[in-house]
Amino acid sequence: MSLRALMIYQSNLNDSTHDKNEPEKQQYPYNPCQLKYNEPFTLILNREHVNKKVLLIKGINIIDVKVSNSYCVLLDQFGKVYIKLPDNDNSELDKFLFEENDNKENEIKLFKFTKDEPIEKIFAKFSSMFILLSKKGNVYLFGTSNDSKYNKYLDENNKLNDEYLKGERIIEVSCGEAHILLLSESGKLFGFGDNYYGQLGAKEISDYGDVIFKESQIDHIYSKIVKVYATYNTSFALTETGELYSCGSTDYAASGMPFDCKNERNKLTRVPIKEKVVEVYNGYFFVAVRTINSKFYVFGYNNFNQFGESTTYSNSQIYGPHLLNNFNNNDIEEMECGEYGSIIVTKSRKIYYSGELAQAFMERKNNFTEFDLRAHLGNHQVFSNQNFKLNVRAASTFVVFFVTTTKTITDIFNMKNIWKISDITCICNQ
């Protein structure tokens, strides 16, 4: 049985007893003795708060978390998907959800069908939409608020009708504000949603707010596309050879193109980065890119100092890729871009952020500033065990920190190294 703990730290907007003008005392989200030293956790910070409420959940081995504007979606090791709904939510999701007896106090609900159809990956970001990609290859779309423009492409179970995928198996997805990118195993790219700005990479430009489903133009890209990313109204495709392409709106410099670029907005165009790109961190109107040489290039909106202040790029809009030169690139383990701020996790597992994120917990900063996660965990040391990785997710409402294992159970239970994990054996599955 898994004894992994899940921490949800969120707001209670309905508590009228709280005096908004009274300074809030430091509150730890749980009693430190409830979790063992170095035990895995998931900590969710909600910026829309009045009073803080804490949920301690045991028995769920979380392997991924995604957040949208409205939901926090959690995937466990068995392919089951759980969701934390907003308070008093009476949404379209009710008919799909089941509240297990073990989780009634935890206020999370299970997607019933995922018990029989395990989920491979989950996707969400800026809008309320989120997507579940099953191990069978089915694509499920939720969070469209019963919008008939989307729902006409779905069946009664919110599964995308197979006819639109032309027999292709989807392996990667990315969600923008009003558009979705779907990448198939063979490297074909489909766009679903609004194409007013050309963000689907399709020939047909839609009217603003219309929803279409089209195959993107990629015949001019000779290397296979392996990952896709969406911002508010721009899209990116990364090839197996490390070339990055973008399409969609050039507003706020979020496409990565120079100021005077005359590219076709509905055609994927190479972003001018000479080095091989290995990862993209997509924010609302701003983007960071990691290269194979561990250099980080940034572009897009910087009006909230999402990438901090610099002498080489603007505090408003960064046109074209610029080197992130106000932080040691070699010390960055992971980066996450949210709505109006970015977060860095260093190799020593320190956390820095710049811009505006979860306002209730992370005051706006103009430069990368250390965030003390220990103040919210109530633990004297934040996850020093090297068998685990500290992850971060951010959208418009939530910032989430969680840990995942980097080694298999077989590796962990190597008897020669048993002394190294004696403090965390309680969380391992048996």
Side-chain angles (χ1 to χ4, degrees), residues 252-277:
Y252 311 110
S255 68
M257 296 301 165
F259 179 77
D260 56 354
C261 182
K262 305 297 182 183
N263 64 303
E264 300 176 61
R265 65 180 184 176
N266 63 327
K267 184 177 181 179
L268 285 161
T269 304
R270 177 124 184 234
V271 177
I273 299 176
K274 294 181 179 180
E275 299 175 49
K276 180 178 180 179
V277 174

Side-chain angles (χ1 to χ4, degrees), residues 15 283 298 343 346 426:
D15 191 336
V298 299
I343 303 174
T346 69
C426 65

Side-chain angles (χ1 to χ4, degrees), residues 47 336-343 353-360 362-364 394-399:
R47 77 176 185 180
E336 173 73 355
C337 296
E339 186 177 30
Y340 295 113
S342 60
I343 303 174
Y353 76 100
S354 186
E356 184 173 288
L357 289 154
Q359 298 165 325
M362 307 172 80
E363 180 184 354
R364 178 181 170 181
S396 60
T397 304
F398 298 104
V399 175

Side-chain angles (χ1 to χ4, degrees), residues 216-261:
S216 304
Q217 307 174 79
I218 62 171
D219 291 343
H220 60 292
I221 301 176
Y222 299 109
S223 297
K224 182 180 179 181
I225 297 173
V226 292
K227 292 201 73 173
V228 290
Y229 311 84
T231 67
Y232 183 89
N233 51 16
T234 58
S235 300
F236 297 85
L238 179 62
T239 70
E240 60 185 357
T241 53
E243 298 169 335
L244 184 64
Y245 293 80
S246 74
C247 63
S249 175
T250 57
D251 295 343
Y252 311 110
S255 68
M257 296 301 165
F259 179 77
D260 56 354
C261 182

Side-chain angles (χ1 to χ4, degrees), residues 17-81:
T17 63
H18 177 72
D19 185 353
K20 296 181 180 179
N21 297 318
E22 181 181 346
E24 198 159 21
K25 297 179 180 179
Q26 173 66 53
Q27 297 182 33
Y28 290 125
Y30 67 90
N31 184 340
C33 68
Q34 291 180 290
L35 293 179
K36 290 183 177 294
Y37 175 80
N38 270 343
E39 186 170 5
F41 60 86
T42 296
L43 177 69
I44 301 175
L45 308 182
N46 186 342
R47 77 176 185 180
E48 306 293 346
H49 87 302
V50 175
N51 266 351
K52 301 170 186 175
K53 183 167 60 176
V54 179
L55 303 174
L56 176 61
I57 302 170
K58 290 187 176 182
I60 303 177
N61 190 354
I62 299 301
I63 62 172
D64 198 10
V65 177
K66 291 293 191 297
V67 288
S68 69
N69 284 0
S70 303
Y71 308 111
C72 178
V73 186
L74 308 109
L75 176 65
D76 81 1
Q77 63 172 347
F78 302 110
K80 293 193 294 184
V81 174

Side-chain angles (χ1 to χ4, degrees), residues 85-272:
L85 298 170
D87 291 339
N88 301 319
D89 180 78
N90 296 309
S91 71
E92 61 178 297
L93 300 177
D94 288 344
K95 65 179 181 179
F96 300 102
L97 302 177
F98 172 71
E99 189 171 57
E100 297 176 309
N101 289 333
D102 292 343
N103 288 318
K104 283 186 177 180
E105 294 182 1
N106 298 328
E107 299 181 19
I108 62 171
K109 294 184 178 182
L110 171 72
F111 274 88
K112 291 181 285 189
F113 78 92
T114 66
K115 294 176 69 175
D116 300 316
E117 185 176 357
I119 300 302
E120 183 80 29
K121 296 179 180 179
I122 56 177
F123 303 92
K125 194 68 175 179
F126 303 109
S127 67
S128 294
M129 296 186 296
F130 61 94
I131 286 180
L132 310 182
L133 183 61
S134 80
K135 294 183 179 181
K136 291 182 179 179
N138 293 326
V139 179
Y140 294 89
L141 171 62
F142 299 96
T144 56
S145 300
N146 295 313
D147 188 338
S148 60
K149 293 180 181 178
Y150 285 98
N151 292 347
K152 69 179 182 180
Y153 295 93
L154 311 175
D155 69 12
E156 65 277 10
N157 296 315
N158 279 42
K159 183 174 80 71
L160 180 64
N161 289 318
D162 295 336
E163 62 185 279
Y164 298 106
L165 299 176
K166 303 177 181 179
E168 295 286 327
R169 182 183 178 90
I170 300 302
I171 59 170
E172 288 290 334
V173 179
S174 190
C175 303
E177 175 66 20
H179 75 289
I180 300 167
L181 304 174
L182 302 108
L183 178 67
S184 77
E185 195 171 28
S186 68
K188 287 188 177 181
L189 181 59
F190 299 92
F192 182 24
D194 189 354
N195 197 40
Y196 179 78
Y197 296 98
Q199 60 264 53
L200 302 185
K203 292 180 181 180
E204 178 185 335
I205 298 294
S206 67
D207 292 333
Y208 185 80
D210 279 357
V211 174
I212 61 175
F213 194 102
K214 296 291 181 180
E215 189 170 349
S216 304
Q217 307 174 79
I218 62 171
D219 291 343
H220 60 292
I221 301 176
Y222 299 109
S223 297
K224 182 180 179 181
I225 297 173
V226 292
K227 292 201 73 173
V228 290
Y229 311 84
T231 67
Y232 183 89
N233 51 16
T234 58
S235 300
F236 297 85
L238 179 62
T239 70
E240 60 185 357
T241 53
E243 298 169 335
L244 184 64
Y245 293 80
S246 74
C247 63
S249 175
T250 57
D251 295 343
Y252 311 110
S255 68
M257 296 301 165
F259 179 77
D260 56 354
C261 182
K262 305 297 182 183
N263 64 303
E264 300 176 61
R265 65 180 184 176
N266 63 327
K267 184 177 181 179
L268 285 161
T269 304
R270 177 124 184 234
V271 177

Side-chain angles (χ1 to χ4, degrees), residues 247-401:
C247 63
S249 175
T250 57
D251 295 343
Y252 311 110
S255 68
M257 296 301 165
F259 179 77
D260 56 354
C261 182
K262 305 297 182 183
N263 64 303
E264 300 176 61
R265 65 180 184 176
N266 63 327
K267 184 177 181 179
L268 285 161
T269 304
R270 177 124 184 234
V271 177
I273 299 176
K274 294 181 179 180
E275 299 175 49
K276 180 178 180 179
V277 174
V278 296
E279 189 55 272
V280 176
Y281 307 92
N282 47 321
Y284 210 46
F285 290 106
F286 61 104
V287 176
V289 173
R290 185 202 290 260
T291 71
I292 195 170
N293 298 317
S294 295
K295 291 183 180 178
F296 284 76
Y297 292 90
V298 299
F299 51 85
Y301 223 5
N302 198 37
N303 61 323
F304 283 81
N305 296 110
Q306 290 93 318
F307 294 123
E309 296 178 338
S310 171
T311 57
T312 60
Y313 53 75
S314 169
N315 283 342
S316 57
Q317 298 176 35
I318 308 170
Y319 281 96
H322 286 63
L323 185 67
L324 181 70
N325 61 359
N326 54 12
F327 201 94
N328 181 4
N329 287 202
N330 291 325
D331 193 31
I332 300 176
E333 180 72 22
E334 183 177 359
M335 191 168 187
E336 173 73 355
C337 296
E339 186 177 30
Y340 295 113
S342 60
I343 303 174
I344 288 173
V345 178
T346 69
K347 293 178 179 178
S348 59
R349 296 175 182 178
K350 291 184 178 180
I351 298 165
Y352 295 83
Y353 76 100
S354 186
E356 184 173 288
L357 289 154
Q359 298 165 325
F361 307 94
M362 307 172 80
E363 180 184 354
R364 178 181 170 181
K365 299 294 182 182
N366 293 329
N367 281 300
F368 285 102
T369 303
E370 186 171 359
F371 175 69
D372 186 8
L373 187 59
R374 292 172 298 180
H376 298 281
L377 289 174
N379 202 349
H380 67 283
Q381 187 168 353
V382 179
F383 229 81
S384 62
N385 193 292
Q386 296 304 309
N387 290 330
F388 297 87
K389 178 186 177 184
L390 177 60
N391 306 274
V392 59
R393 301 284 186 266
S396 60
T397 304
F398 298 104
V399 175
V400 180
F401 299 97

